[in-house]
Amino acid sequence: MKSLGQNYRGESRKNGTEAKGHELKKMKRFFQPIQRDGSLKKPTLSSSCSRNGDQETGECTPDDEKKKRKKEPSRFLTWNANSFLLRVKNNWPEFTKLVETLDPDVIAIQEVRIPAAGAKGAPKNPKELKDDTNSSREEKQTMIRAISNPPLKNYDVWWSLSESKYAGTALFIKKCCPPKKVSFSLDRTASKHEPDGRVILAEFESFRLLNTYAPNNGWKDEETSFQRRRKWDKRMLEFVLQTSDKPLIWCGDLNVSHEDIDVSHPEFFSTAKLGGYVPPNKEDCGQPGFTLAERKRFGAILREGKLLDAYRFLHKDKDMERGFSWSGNPVGKYRGKRMRIDYFIVSEKLKEKIVA
């Protein structure tokens, strides 16, 4: 199995600079397949459907069905799109070319930024795109038209959306390798969606895939900032401990840079302030995503969950060209400052399967 790993979030979270195809290509990772007998097989670049399958629809011929029941997704691509709808409108040729070239079995998207279905004042359906106004219907049609054509038509899609144009996640899985179950919360329930659509969990025969958009730590000790992130990290630790019966592949925007090597300027980020505010606990000081408190909690999740950072497992040294996934605003104090906050985290028992 080959799997594609890292995301691309665009040049800047702050200014929304659009992703470029050649930069996307730099952020790929691969995993070897999980073989039931534990053996390793040489990965191939073939489609997850065999070549006599129907490549146009993504469906397998009857001869392939028997084979496909034993084969699972092997290539994974994660992308923090910073508005998936904008990427459909502005970057679709580059993205579709990337998908065609890399041929991932699974595509995990964060920051979809499409509202959930439901009229004003009515209960929302986070599994469906909003379409109760002229503008939302037009946006939905744009999205459906894009994913109904190659190469995305080869995939089934699951949405977990916020009530507004904020956050949200999506998961595309090739029709040849359907999951046994898809859930939308860390409690592993299909009916309950995490607030803001932050979680999609797909369960396969021999592993689980978790796609998350982790909440930003923020700058202050308040309900929508430090406290929210503490609760999230506590629940993530509980989740990885409760699901240790199967290997885990956890991807997405995790909104934390674990070590000094994961930021371009450690001293700058560790002493950063907003408006001169200094948190009462010095471990909460610094750039959101690089506070000591966050980094310690993330380390505990990896350690106690027996997980490892797939990229850092292969790349021990700082790479100023390709080792980061977020870039600061090109104007102002964040110019040239970069962080790696997007990951593939995998169970330690899968480490020998990681190819690149």
Side-chain angles (χ1 to χ4, degrees):
M1 145 184 165
K2 257 193 174 179
S3 124
L4 296 166
Q6 191 67 2
N7 92 331
Y8 181 82
R9 67 164 39 271
E11 278 300 307
S12 171
R13 169 176 299 191
K14 294 182 175 61
N15 65 9
T17 303
E18 294 157 2
K20 302 298 181 184
H22 71 280
E23 291 173 295
L24 286 169
K25 293 178 184 176
K26 295 192 298 186
M27 309 301 281
K28 56 184 178 180
R29 311 278 178 266
F30 296 90
F31 293 83
Q32 289 179 352
I34 303 169
Q35 302 294 336
R36 290 191 177 184
D37 61 0
S39 64
L40 296 181
K41 294 184 178 180
K42 185 178 179 180
T44 67
L45 285 174
S46 61
S47 167
S48 65
C49 284
S50 67
R51 289 306 174 189
N52 62 333
D54 183 348
Q55 294 300 303
E56 188 65 17
T57 64
E59 297 174 353
C60 300
T61 65
D63 288 342
D64 292 323
E65 290 294 341
K66 189 174 181 180
K67 297 177 185 177
K68 288 303 126 185
R69 282 196 292 269
K70 295 183 179 180
K71 188 174 180 180
E72 297 186 300
S74 59
R75 306 181 207 174
F76 307 89
L77 169 65
T78 181
W79 187 22
N80 187 337
N82 194 16
S83 178
F84 193 38
L85 184 63
L86 282 182
R87 303 308 150 214
V88 168
K89 294 178 178 179
N90 300 328
N91 303 97
W92 206 237
E94 294 93 338
F95 180 63
T96 54
K97 184 177 181 180
L98 178 73
V99 172
E100 289 167 351
T101 301
L102 301 179
D103 192 27
D105 297 322
V106 177
I107 304 171
I109 307 289
Q110 305 89 44
E111 287 199 73
V112 171
R113 294 192 182 181
I114 300 174
K120 187 176 181 179
K124 301 298 186 291
N125 179 0
K127 293 183 182 180
E128 298 290 339
L129 307 177
K130 182 179 176 67
D131 63 356
D132 64 313
T133 64
N134 288 337
S135 61
S136 64
R137 278 191 290 272
E138 182 178 342
E139 291 178 348
K140 180 177 180 178
Q141 289 173 1
T142 299
M143 177 60 67
I144 297 302
R145 190 180 305 117
I147 67 176
S148 298
N149 286 287
L152 270 294
K153 70 175 295 184
N154 296 345
Y155 299 77
D156 288 320
V157 60
W158 286 262
W159 304 97
S160 188
L161 306 173
S162 176
E163 294 187 6
S164 61
K165 284 190 174 181
Y166 172 71
T169 52
L171 192 65
F172 293 81
I173 302 177
K174 271 192 174 176
K175 295 176 180 178
C176 281
C177 36
K180 294 176 62 178
K181 178 183 178 182
V182 176
S183 306
F184 302 94
S185 75
L186 294 178
D187 300 328
R188 291 187 284 169
T189 60
S191 59
K192 178 183 177 182
H193 289 245
E194 293 290 337
D196 302 322
R198 293 185 180 275
V199 169
I200 303 181
L201 175 66
E203 182 167 342
F204 298 92
E205 185 66 32
S206 61
F207 70 95
R208 293 185 179 92
L209 176 82
L210 178 65
N211 172 25
T212 67
Y213 173 45
N216 189 284
N217 187 66
W219 294 93
K220 296 185 178 181
D221 193 1
E222 54 190 23
E223 187 176 353
T224 58
S225 193
F226 294 170
Q227 295 175 33
R228 178 179 65 170
R229 182 60 190 236
R230 290 187 198 116
K231 291 176 182 176
W232 170 270
D233 289 339
K234 180 176 183 292
R235 294 184 63 217
M236 276 303 314
L237 177 58
E238 293 170 349
F239 170 83
V240 299
L241 294 177
Q242 292 168 359
T243 56
S244 59
D245 57 310
K246 282 186 179 182
L248 177 68
I249 299 174
W250 172 24
C251 67
D253 178 3
L254 307 192
N255 257 322
V256 62
S257 295
H258 187 205
E259 306 287 356
D260 284 2
I261 193 176
D262 296 316
V263 297
S264 61
H265 298 73
E267 184 176 355
F268 170 86
F269 285 117
S270 62
T271 58
K273 297 178 183 178
L274 182 66
Y277 174 77
V278 178
N281 181 352
K282 68 177 184 178
E283 290 194 349
D284 288 323
C285 294
Q287 176 74 27
F290 197 64
T291 66
L292 187 58
E294 293 172 88
R295 295 162 62 193
K296 282 185 174 180
R297 293 195 300 265
F298 187 63
I301 293 171
L302 300 187
R303 183 174 61 255
E304 297 186 37
K306 294 181 171 57
L307 304 168
L308 59 83
D309 175 349
Y311 178 77
R312 192 56 66 207
F313 174 71
L314 294 177
H315 305 278
K316 308 300 184 185
D317 300 322
K318 182 177 289 191
D319 183 345
M320 295 299 291
E321 292 299 318
R322 298 188 298 176
F324 308 103
S325 59
W326 176 85
S327 298
N329 195 308
V331 178
K333 66 179 181 179
Y334 282 93
R335 180 179 181 179
K337 309 297 193 303
R338 308 185 72 190
M339 305 176 74
R340 188 169 71 93
I341 56 176
D342 306 273
Y343 295 78
F344 267 98
I345 301 297
V346 303
S347 295
E348 288 181 356
K349 62 186 68 175
L350 298 180
K351 67 181 181 181
E352 301 305 325
K353 313 286 187 181
I354 302 172
V355 175

